[in-house]
Amino acid sequence: MNNKLFAFFETVWSYIDTGKFYREPFRWLYAVIAVLNLLFPLYIIFLTIDSGLFKYMSGGDIFACILVFLLLIFLGIMSFHLWSNRQKKVKEYLQEENEFIAIPVVSHFIQTMGEWLGFYIGVGGCLISLLFVLFGVNDSLGGMLGNSVLPMGVGFSMVIMYPIMGFLIVVSGRLIAELYRALAAIANNTKRLVKETKVTDASEESKAQES
């Protein structure tokens, strides 16, 4: 009984040491985030309609809100495709010979998160703010809808600020991810070099003994 129990534990510990323990949960996480990005625009639309705001809007405000909803749906589809695409590439960052396997997966997640948040804020923030400015949506309504999907509300200045913020987020996420990957690559290459050196030394020593 104890031998079977210990054998089971050994299987669990061996599985943890493989890349699957780290890769598969992240792949599921990517899938969940992708689906949530599709549902988020529908949630915002439902909240807006359920709140009864359309009863107090002018025709221009309603048209602007419809355009914002369409833009949110587009951003949701774009985000879904991004996370789905990156989910397929998680496996590429884990190789059997790598000693350090958690760092590449986490760095890939940080990079994807930066790309998603940067594009969402940069593109979405700019266009939503521009729509509110062009259609002259009143401040209270613009603030209410803007704050529900954007971190700093809407306004003419944000048409310029959001793309800059989005670009900096993408670059920062990529920089952090590449630093993590560089550390992992150096560590993996160093260990591989040590192993190859030991094999070479052992081979040369064996040849010397034979001669």
Side-chain angles (χ1 to χ4, degrees), residues 85-173:
N85 177 270
R86 294 300 185 261
Q87 181 198 31
K88 300 174 184 177
K89 296 184 177 181
V90 173
K91 190 174 181 179
E92 299 176 6
Y93 284 83
L94 284 180
Q95 300 177 6
E96 295 298 331
E97 66 271 15
N98 286 354
E99 173 69 16
F100 300 92
I101 52 182
I103 293 178
V105 178
V106 174
S107 68
H108 185 264
F109 179 78
I110 293 174
Q111 176 183 330
T112 306
M113 181 65 72
E115 292 171 345
W116 166 71
L117 189 59
F119 279 109
Y120 192 95
I121 290 179
V123 177
C126 174
L127 294 180
I128 291 176
S129 297
L130 183 61
L131 286 174
F132 281 4
V133 170
L134 291 178
F135 286 91
V137 177
N138 64 74
D139 294 337
S140 59
L141 178 60
M144 185 181 302
L145 291 177
N147 289 329
S148 62
V149 295
L150 297 170
M152 299 178 63
V154 295
F156 181 76
S157 61
M158 303 314 297
V159 176
I160 301 173
M161 291 302 299
Y162 277 129
I164 297 175
M165 291 170 56
F167 176 76
L168 293 177
I169 291 173
V170 173
V171 173
S172 299

Side-chain angles (χ1 to χ4, degrees), residues 4-209:
K4 291 183 179 180
L5 181 61
F6 291 150
F8 170 75
F9 287 152
E10 286 294 335
T11 303
V12 174
W13 309 145
S14 298
Y15 181 76
I16 291 176
D17 290 335
T18 65
K20 291 183 179 180
F21 177 79
Y22 300 91
R23 181 175 62 237
E24 296 306 320
F26 270 93
R27 293 184 65 186
W28 281 106
L29 177 62
Y30 281 39
V32 170
I33 295 177
V35 173
L36 289 177
N37 274 281
L38 280 181
L39 297 178
F40 178 70
L42 302 179
Y43 174 71
I44 295 298
I45 294 172
F46 171 78
L47 284 183
T48 305
I49 295 176
D50 188 62
S51 65
L53 286 175
F54 284 116
K55 298 178 182 179
Y56 309 99
M57 293 184 186
S58 63
D61 290 348
I62 294 176
F63 184 67
C65 285
I66 292 175
L67 291 179
V68 170
F69 293 156
L70 292 176
L71 178 59
L72 288 177
I73 293 173
F74 168 77
L75 291 172
I77 295 174
M78 181 192 72
S79 300
F80 174 83
H81 184 269
L82 171 65
W83 285 99
S84 299
N85 177 270
R86 294 300 185 261
Q87 181 198 31
K88 300 174 184 177
K89 296 184 177 181
V90 173
K91 190 174 181 179
E92 299 176 6
Y93 284 83
L94 284 180
Q95 300 177 6
E96 295 298 331
E97 66 271 15
N98 286 354
E99 173 69 16
F100 300 92
I101 52 182
I103 293 178
V105 178
V106 174
S107 68
H108 185 264
F109 179 78
I110 293 174
Q111 176 183 330
T112 306
M113 181 65 72
E115 292 171 345
W116 166 71
L117 189 59
F119 279 109
Y120 192 95
I121 290 179
V123 177
C126 174
L127 294 180
I128 291 176
S129 297
L130 183 61
L131 286 174
F132 281 4
V133 170
L134 291 178
F135 286 91
V137 177
N138 64 74
D139 294 337
S140 59
L141 178 60
M144 185 181 302
L145 291 177
N147 289 329
S148 62
V149 295
L150 297 170
M152 299 178 63
V154 295
F156 181 76
S157 61
M158 303 314 297
V159 176
I160 301 173
M161 291 302 299
Y162 277 129
I164 297 175
M165 291 170 56
F167 176 76
L168 293 177
I169 291 173
V170 173
V171 173
S172 299
R174 183 75 182 221
L175 175 63
I176 295 172
E178 289 184 353
L179 287 174
Y180 276 113
R181 282 204 292 271
L183 290 174
I186 291 172
N188 285 321
N189 291 335
T190 300
K191 183 169 184 179
R192 191 178 303 115
L193 181 61
V194 170
K195 287 182 178 179
E196 292 174 356
T197 303
K198 288 181 178 179
V199 171
T200 302
D201 292 343
S203 177
E204 292 179 353
E205 184 178 349
S206 176
K207 290 180 180 179
Q209 290 176 356

